Amino acid sequence: METLVERIVLIGFMGTGKSAVGKLLAEKLNWQFFDTDTEIVKRTGREIKEIFEKEGEAFFRKLEAEVVQSVNAYKGAVIATGGGTAVSVPEFIKTPGTLVVYLQTSFSRLCERLRGDTSRPLFRDVDMASQLYLTREPRYSELADINIDETDLNLEEVTAKLYEIVREKI
Ligand code: S3P
């Protein structure tokens, strides 16, 4: 028998809309919503960019691992992760009762969306971000139970598509 879905974790690269879609989906399902980056900001009182600059990426990844473990214990929750979470701590994401959804978008579309964004330390250099995208893509796909190609969809369309898929599983 298939395990019932108790929570949905959204994974994918920076700019795929994990937080926006997660929030909309949680509203539709009447579930709680968590965003791992927001939880880190709440716990530390610091912006992600500042944590990267002052403490370094390794320190940020430790916080991220702690946060994802604690929110992944909730039932009836939609969780938006940071773009690196699925790669650094996949074992804390794929847990019993968790449906992992990969929001996939082409790199060029992500560049359009994130043009001028200064809040993401790992998207400042486009060549570096492109390399990261190539190495992460297969890892996201491998971890996900569901893969949604949202390149040509807006946030509402992605949410509606996802809602149709998950409502039969919960
Ligand atoms: C990161 C993605 C960011 C944030 C941090 C690191 C990454 O989240 O967690 O800047 O490693 O891809 P978003 O995916 O919400 O931009």
Side-chain angles (χ1 to χ4, degrees):
M1 210 179 80
E2 221 180 312
T3 326
L4 220 55
V5 172
E6 293 173 337
R7 70 194 71 76
I8 296 160
V9 176
L10 302 179
I11 64 168
F13 209 68
M14 293 169 266
T16 46
K18 302 177 293 290
S19 308
V21 169
K23 202 159 180 254
L24 290 172
L25 182 67
E27 276 165 18
K28 263 177 163 316
L29 294 171
N30 207 11
W31 277 11
Q32 293 186 83
F33 172 67
F34 296 100
D35 177 298
T36 56
D37 282 345
T38 306
E39 292 302 312
I40 291 172
V41 173
K42 273 196 219 159
R43 285 184 191 196
T44 59
R46 292 161 120 184
E47 292 304 320
I48 304 295
K49 186 171 131 179
E50 194 193 334
I51 300 173
F52 264 77
E53 278 165 12
K54 302 228 168 94
E55 316 287 349
E57 182 173 346
F59 182 78
F60 171 78
R61 297 295 170 205
K62 267 195 219 155
L63 293 172
E64 190 177 42
E66 282 169 24
V67 162
V68 81
Q69 277 187 95
S70 60
V71 294
N72 214 358
Y74 282 83
K75 288 186 181 172
V78 179
I79 300 160
T81 58
T85 325
V87 174
S88 61
V89 283
E91 69 280 18
F92 297 152
I93 290 184
K94 192 93 168 191
T95 58
T98 302
L99 184 79
V100 183
V101 178
Y102 171 28
L103 298 184
Q104 183 181 31
T105 310
S106 70
F107 187 70
S108 56
R109 182 54 60 85
L110 294 175
C111 287
E112 283 166 25
R113 288 190 195 157
L114 296 182
R115 189 170 299 138
D117 179 291
T118 55
S119 67
R120 291 174 169 89
L122 299 181
F123 212 101
R124 285 205 190 122
D125 180 312
V126 174
D127 291 336
M128 208 186 88
S130 147
Q131 276 311 309
L132 207 54
Y133 180 87
L134 290 176
T135 53
R136 284 179 177 179
E137 262 242 54
R139 315 262 308 261
Y140 296 137
S141 297
E142 209 176 274
L143 190 70
D145 299 300
I146 292 171
N147 183 340
I148 301 221
D149 182 355
E150 49 150 53
T151 303
D152 296 316
L153 303 178
N154 66 34
L155 295 175
E156 286 74 22
E157 289 167 335
V158 178
T159 309
K161 195 170 174 178
L162 197 45
Y163 178 70
E164 283 311 310
I165 298 172
V166 302
R167 71 185 188 143
E168 288 165 12
K169 299 180 184 289
I170 59 178

